PDB file of all heavy atoms in Angstrom:
ATOM      1  N   ILE R   4      86.002   8.073 131.470  1.00 94.00           N
ATOM      2  CA  ILE R   4      85.786   9.484 131.162  1.00 94.00           C
ATOM      3  C   ILE R   4      84.356   9.842 131.529  1.00 94.00           C
ATOM      4  O   ILE R   4      83.408   9.207 131.067  1.00 94.00           O
ATOM      5  CB  ILE R   4      85.982   9.771 129.661  1.00 94.00           C
ATOM      6  CG1 ILE R   4      87.313   9.231 129.158  1.00 94.00           C
ATOM      7  CG2 ILE R   4      85.852  11.270 129.379  1.00 94.00           C
ATOM      8  CD1 ILE R   4      87.392   9.171 127.635  1.00 94.00           C
ATOM      9  N   HIS R   5      84.201  10.856 132.357  1.00 91.00           N
ATOM     10  CA  HIS R   5      82.880  11.403 132.627  1.00 91.00           C
ATOM     11  C   HIS R   5      82.678  12.538 131.634  1.00 91.00           C
ATOM     12  O   HIS R   5      83.232  13.624 131.769  1.00 91.00           O
ATOM     13  CB  HIS R   5      82.770  11.847 134.080  1.00 91.00           C
ATOM     14  CG  HIS R   5      82.718  10.684 135.021  1.00 91.00           C
ATOM     15  ND1 HIS R   5      81.533  10.084 135.398  1.00 91.00           N
ATOM     16  CD2 HIS R   5      83.711   9.969 135.603  1.00 91.00           C
ATOM     17  CE1 HIS R   5      81.792   9.068 136.197  1.00 91.00           C
ATOM     18  NE2 HIS R   5      83.099   8.971 136.337  1.00 91.00           N
ATOM     19  N   HIS R   6      81.901  12.227 130.610  1.00 86.00           N
ATOM     20  CA  HIS R   6      81.752  13.093 129.442  1.00 86.00           C
ATOM     21  C   HIS R   6      80.444  13.861 129.508  1.00 86.00           C
ATOM     22  O   HIS R   6      79.378  13.271 129.691  1.00 86.00           O
ATOM     23  CB  HIS R   6      81.794  12.245 128.171  1.00 86.00           C
ATOM     24  CG  HIS R   6      81.487  13.003 126.918  1.00 86.00           C
ATOM     25  ND1 HIS R   6      82.222  14.091 126.504  1.00 86.00           N
ATOM     26  CD2 HIS R   6      80.509  12.825 125.979  1.00 86.00           C
ATOM     27  CE1 HIS R   6      81.727  14.548 125.354  1.00 86.00           C
ATOM     28  NE2 HIS R   6      80.690  13.800 125.024  1.00 86.00           N
ATOM     29  N   LEU R   7      80.545  15.173 129.372  1.00 81.00           N
ATOM     30  CA  LEU R   7      79.369  16.041 129.333  1.00 81.00           C
ATOM     31  C   LEU R   7      79.124  16.456 127.890  1.00 81.00           C
ATOM     32  O   LEU R   7      80.057  16.893 127.200  1.00 81.00           O
ATOM     33  CB  LEU R   7      79.607  17.277 130.207  1.00 81.00           C
ATOM     34  CG  LEU R   7      78.486  18.319 130.266  1.00 81.00           C
ATOM     35  CD1 LEU R   7      77.229  17.726 130.885  1.00 81.00           C
ATOM     36  CD2 LEU R   7      78.956  19.537 131.048  1.00 81.00           C
ATOM     37  N   ASN R   8      77.900  16.301 127.432  1.00 77.00           N
ATOM     38  CA  ASN R   8      77.600  16.681 126.047  1.00 77.00           C
ATOM     39  C   ASN R   8      77.879  18.167 125.822  1.00 77.00           C
ATOM     40  O   ASN R   8      77.750  18.998 126.721  1.00 77.00           O
ATOM     41  CB  ASN R   8      76.148  16.357 125.690  1.00 77.00           C
ATOM     42  CG  ASN R   8      75.137  17.154 126.513  1.00 77.00           C
ATOM     43  OD1 ASN R   8      75.216  17.206 127.735  1.00 77.00           O
ATOM     44  ND2 ASN R   8      74.185  17.765 125.836  1.00 77.00           N
ATOM     45  N   LYS R   9      78.305  18.504 124.625  1.00 74.00           N
ATOM     46  CA  LYS R   9      78.634  19.883 124.240  1.00 74.00           C
ATOM     47  C   LYS R   9      79.655  20.494 125.196  1.00 74.00           C
ATOM     48  O   LYS R   9      79.495  21.609 125.693  1.00 74.00           O
ATOM     49  CB  LYS R   9      77.369  20.752 124.191  1.00 74.00           C
ATOM     50  CG  LYS R   9      76.358  20.301 123.162  1.00 74.00           C
ATOM     51  CD  LYS R   9      75.140  21.202 123.148  1.00 74.00           C
ATOM     52  CE  LYS R   9      74.113  20.712 122.135  1.00 74.00           C
ATOM     53  NZ  LYS R   9      72.887  21.546 122.129  1.00 74.00           N
ATOM     54  N   ILE R  28      83.214   5.278 128.903  1.00 93.00           N
ATOM     55  CA  ILE R  28      82.569   6.593 128.937  1.00 93.00           C
ATOM     56  C   ILE R  28      81.301   6.521 129.777  1.00 93.00           C
ATOM     57  O   ILE R  28      80.486   5.614 129.612  1.00 93.00           O
ATOM     58  CB  ILE R  28      82.212   7.102 127.522  1.00 93.00           C
ATOM     59  CG1 ILE R  28      83.476   7.449 126.741  1.00 93.00           C
ATOM     60  CG2 ILE R  28      81.304   8.335 127.594  1.00 93.00           C
ATOM     61  CD1 ILE R  28      83.211   8.055 125.385  1.00 93.00           C
ATOM     62  N   VAL R  29      81.181   7.484 130.695  1.00 91.00           N
ATOM     63  CA  VAL R  29      79.926   7.705 131.412  1.00 91.00           C
ATOM     64  C   VAL R  29      79.384   9.039 130.917  1.00 91.00           C
ATOM     65  O   VAL R  29      80.044  10.084 131.082  1.00 91.00           O
ATOM     66  CB  VAL R  29      80.131   7.729 132.932  1.00 91.00           C
ATOM     67  CG1 VAL R  29      78.817   8.039 133.638  1.00 91.00           C
ATOM     68  CG2 VAL R  29      80.716   6.413 133.418  1.00 91.00           C
ATOM     69  N   ASN R  30      78.231   9.013 130.281  1.00 86.00           N
ATOM     70  CA  ASN R  30      77.659  10.225 129.704  1.00 86.00           C
ATOM     71  C   ASN R  30      76.825  10.989 130.725  1.00 86.00           C
ATOM     72  O   ASN R  30      76.051  10.391 131.486  1.00 86.00           O
ATOM     73  CB  ASN R  30      76.784   9.878 128.494  1.00 86.00           C
ATOM     74  CG  ASN R  30      77.612   9.466 127.290  1.00 86.00           C
ATOM     75  OD1 ASN R  30      78.441  10.227 126.817  1.00 86.00           O
ATOM     76  ND2 ASN R  30      77.396   8.255 126.807  1.00 86.00           N
ATOM     77  N   HIS R  31      76.995  12.301 130.719  1.00 86.00           N
ATOM     78  CA  HIS R  31      76.200  13.200 131.544  1.00 86.00           C
ATOM     79  C   HIS R  31      75.564  14.225 130.606  1.00 86.00           C
ATOM     80  O   HIS R  31      76.240  14.742 129.706  1.00 86.00           O
ATOM     81  CB  HIS R  31      77.068  13.904 132.587  1.00 86.00           C
ATOM     82  CG  HIS R  31      77.763  12.973 133.527  1.00 86.00           C
ATOM     83  ND1 HIS R  31      77.284  12.670 134.785  1.00 86.00           N
ATOM     84  CD2 HIS R  31      78.920  12.253 133.384  1.00 86.00           C
ATOM     85  CE1 HIS R  31      78.105  11.822 135.387  1.00 86.00           C
ATOM     86  NE2 HIS R  31      79.104  11.545 134.563  1.00 86.00           N
ATOM     87  N   GLU R  32      74.304  14.530 130.818  1.00 79.00           N
ATOM     88  CA  GLU R  32      73.577  15.435 129.929  1.00 79.00           C
ATOM     89  C   GLU R  32      73.325  16.779 130.612  1.00 79.00           C
ATOM     90  O   GLU R  32      72.937  16.833 131.784  1.00 79.00           O
ATOM     91  CB  GLU R  32      72.231  14.813 129.525  1.00 79.00           C
ATOM     92  CG  GLU R  32      72.350  13.574 128.665  1.00 79.00           C
ATOM     93  CD  GLU R  32      72.862  13.870 127.262  1.00 79.00           C
ATOM     94  OE1 GLU R  32      72.517  14.938 126.713  1.00 79.00           O
ATOM     95  OE2 GLU R  32      73.619  13.032 126.728  1.00 79.00           O
ATOM     96  N   ARG R  33      73.525  17.835 129.863  1.00 79.00           N
ATOM     97  CA  ARG R  33      73.219  19.174 130.367  1.00 79.00           C
ATOM     98  C   ARG R  33      71.713  19.326 130.608  1.00 79.00           C
ATOM     99  O   ARG R  33      70.897  18.684 129.930  1.00 79.00           O
ATOM    100  CB  ARG R  33      73.666  20.243 129.372  1.00 79.00           C
ATOM    101  CG  ARG R  33      75.164  20.335 129.194  1.00 79.00           C
ATOM    102  CD  ARG R  33      75.542  21.456 128.241  1.00 79.00           C
ATOM    103  NE  ARG R  33      76.978  21.517 128.021  1.00 79.00           N
ATOM    104  CZ  ARG R  33      77.838  22.127 128.830  1.00 79.00           C
ATOM    105  NH1 ARG R  33      77.379  22.752 129.915  1.00 79.00           N
ATOM    106  NH2 ARG R  33      79.125  22.142 128.558  1.00 79.00           N
ATOM    107  N   ALA R  40      75.603  21.882 133.787  1.00 72.00           N
ATOM    108  CA  ALA R  40      75.967  20.488 134.052  1.00 72.00           C
ATOM    109  C   ALA R  40      75.040  19.895 135.116  1.00 72.00           C
ATOM    110  O   ALA R  40      74.565  20.620 136.001  1.00 72.00           O
ATOM    111  CB  ALA R  40      77.413  20.412 134.509  1.00 72.00           C
ATOM    112  N   PRO R  41      74.796  18.593 135.054  1.00 69.00           N
ATOM    113  CA  PRO R  41      73.890  17.965 136.013  1.00 69.00           C
ATOM    114  C   PRO R  41      74.557  17.713 137.367  1.00 69.00           C
ATOM    115  O   PRO R  41      75.776  17.730 137.500  1.00 69.00           O
ATOM    116  CB  PRO R  41      73.552  16.639 135.325  1.00 69.00           C
ATOM    117  CG  PRO R  41      74.788  16.316 134.549  1.00 69.00           C
ATOM    118  CD  PRO R  41      75.308  17.638 134.057  1.00 69.00           C
ATOM    119  N   GLU R  42      73.708  17.457 138.340  1.00 78.00           N
ATOM    120  CA  GLU R  42      74.187  17.164 139.692  1.00 78.00           C
ATOM    121  C   GLU R  42      75.022  15.885 139.727  1.00 78.00           C
ATOM    122  O   GLU R  42      75.860  15.712 140.606  1.00 78.00           O
ATOM    123  CB  GLU R  42      72.987  17.013 140.647  1.00 78.00           C
ATOM    124  CG  GLU R  42      72.267  18.307 140.958  1.00 78.00           C
ATOM    125  CD  GLU R  42      73.134  19.264 141.778  1.00 78.00           C
ATOM    126  OE1 GLU R  42      73.750  18.811 142.755  1.00 78.00           O
ATOM    127  OE2 GLU R  42      73.194  20.446 141.424  1.00 78.00           O
ATOM    128  N   SER R  43      74.834  15.009 138.760  1.00 83.00           N
ATOM    129  CA  SER R  43      75.557  13.732 138.755  1.00 83.00           C
ATOM    130  C   SER R  43      77.071  13.929 138.720  1.00 83.00           C
ATOM    131  O   SER R  43      77.824  13.101 139.252  1.00 83.00           O
ATOM    132  CB  SER R  43      75.119  12.875 137.567  1.00 83.00           C
ATOM    133  OG  SER R  43      75.326  13.559 136.335  1.00 83.00           O
ATOM    134  N   LEU R  44      77.532  15.015 138.109  1.00 83.00           N
ATOM    135  CA  LEU R  44      78.979  15.259 138.058  1.00 83.00           C
ATOM    136  C   LEU R  44      79.550  15.600 139.438  1.00 83.00           C
ATOM    137  O   LEU R  44      80.721  15.340 139.698  1.00 83.00           O
ATOM    138  CB  LEU R  44      79.298  16.379 137.070  1.00 83.00           C
ATOM    139  CG  LEU R  44      79.408  15.989 135.594  1.00 83.00           C
ATOM    140  CD1 LEU R  44      79.603  17.222 134.728  1.00 83.00           C
ATOM    141  CD2 LEU R  44      80.545  15.006 135.362  1.00 83.00           C
ATOM    142  N   LYS R  45      78.720  16.184 140.306  1.00 83.00           N
ATOM    143  CA  LYS R  45      79.198  16.535 141.648  1.00 83.00           C
ATOM    144  C   LYS R  45      79.534  15.288 142.465  1.00 83.00           C
ATOM    145  O   LYS R  45      80.327  15.349 143.408  1.00 83.00           O
ATOM    146  CB  LYS R  45      78.155  17.370 142.388  1.00 83.00           C
ATOM    147  CG  LYS R  45      78.056  18.800 141.902  1.00 83.00           C
ATOM    148  CD  LYS R  45      77.107  19.619 142.767  1.00 83.00           C
ATOM    149  CE  LYS R  45      77.043  21.054 142.276  1.00 83.00           C
ATOM    150  NZ  LYS R  45      76.094  21.863 143.082  1.00 83.00           N
ATOM    151  N   ILE R  47      81.155  12.890 141.332  1.00 89.00           N
ATOM    152  CA  ILE R  47      82.460  12.428 140.861  1.00 89.00           C
ATOM    153  C   ILE R  47      83.564  13.378 141.299  1.00 89.00           C
ATOM    154  O   ILE R  47      84.634  12.953 141.740  1.00 89.00           O
ATOM    155  CB  ILE R  47      82.479  12.309 139.323  1.00 89.00           C
ATOM    156  CG1 ILE R  47      81.235  11.560 138.814  1.00 89.00           C
ATOM    157  CG2 ILE R  47      83.757  11.626 138.846  1.00 89.00           C
ATOM    158  CD1 ILE R  47      81.050  10.186 139.390  1.00 89.00           C
ATOM    159  N   ALA R  53      83.210  19.100 133.477  1.00 85.00           N
ATOM    160  CA  ALA R  53      83.815  18.122 132.577  1.00 85.00           C
ATOM    161  C   ALA R  53      84.934  18.795 131.794  1.00 85.00           C
ATOM    162  O   ALA R  53      84.845  19.997 131.504  1.00 85.00           O
ATOM    163  CB  ALA R  53      82.758  17.571 131.630  1.00 85.00           C
ATOM    164  N   ILE R  55      86.189  15.018 133.451  1.00 92.00           N
ATOM    165  CA  ILE R  55      86.705  14.359 134.652  1.00 92.00           C
ATOM    166  C   ILE R  55      87.087  12.949 134.231  1.00 92.00           C
ATOM    167  O   ILE R  55      86.353  12.303 133.485  1.00 92.00           O
ATOM    168  CB  ILE R  55      85.662  14.285 135.782  1.00 92.00           C
ATOM    169  CG1 ILE R  55      85.160  15.676 136.176  1.00 92.00           C
ATOM    170  CG2 ILE R  55      86.231  13.553 136.997  1.00 92.00           C
ATOM    171  CD1 ILE R  55      83.930  15.631 137.075  1.00 92.00           C
TER     172      ILE R  55
END
Side-chain angles (χ1 to χ4, degrees):
I4 308 165
H5 289 270
H6 173 59
L7 179 63
N8 64 310
K9 297 181 182 178
I28 291 184
V29 177
N30 287 301
H31 300 262
E32 294 290 325
R33 293 183 182 277
E42 289 293 314
S43 57
L44 277 175
K45 286 186 179 178
I47 312 303
I55 302 168

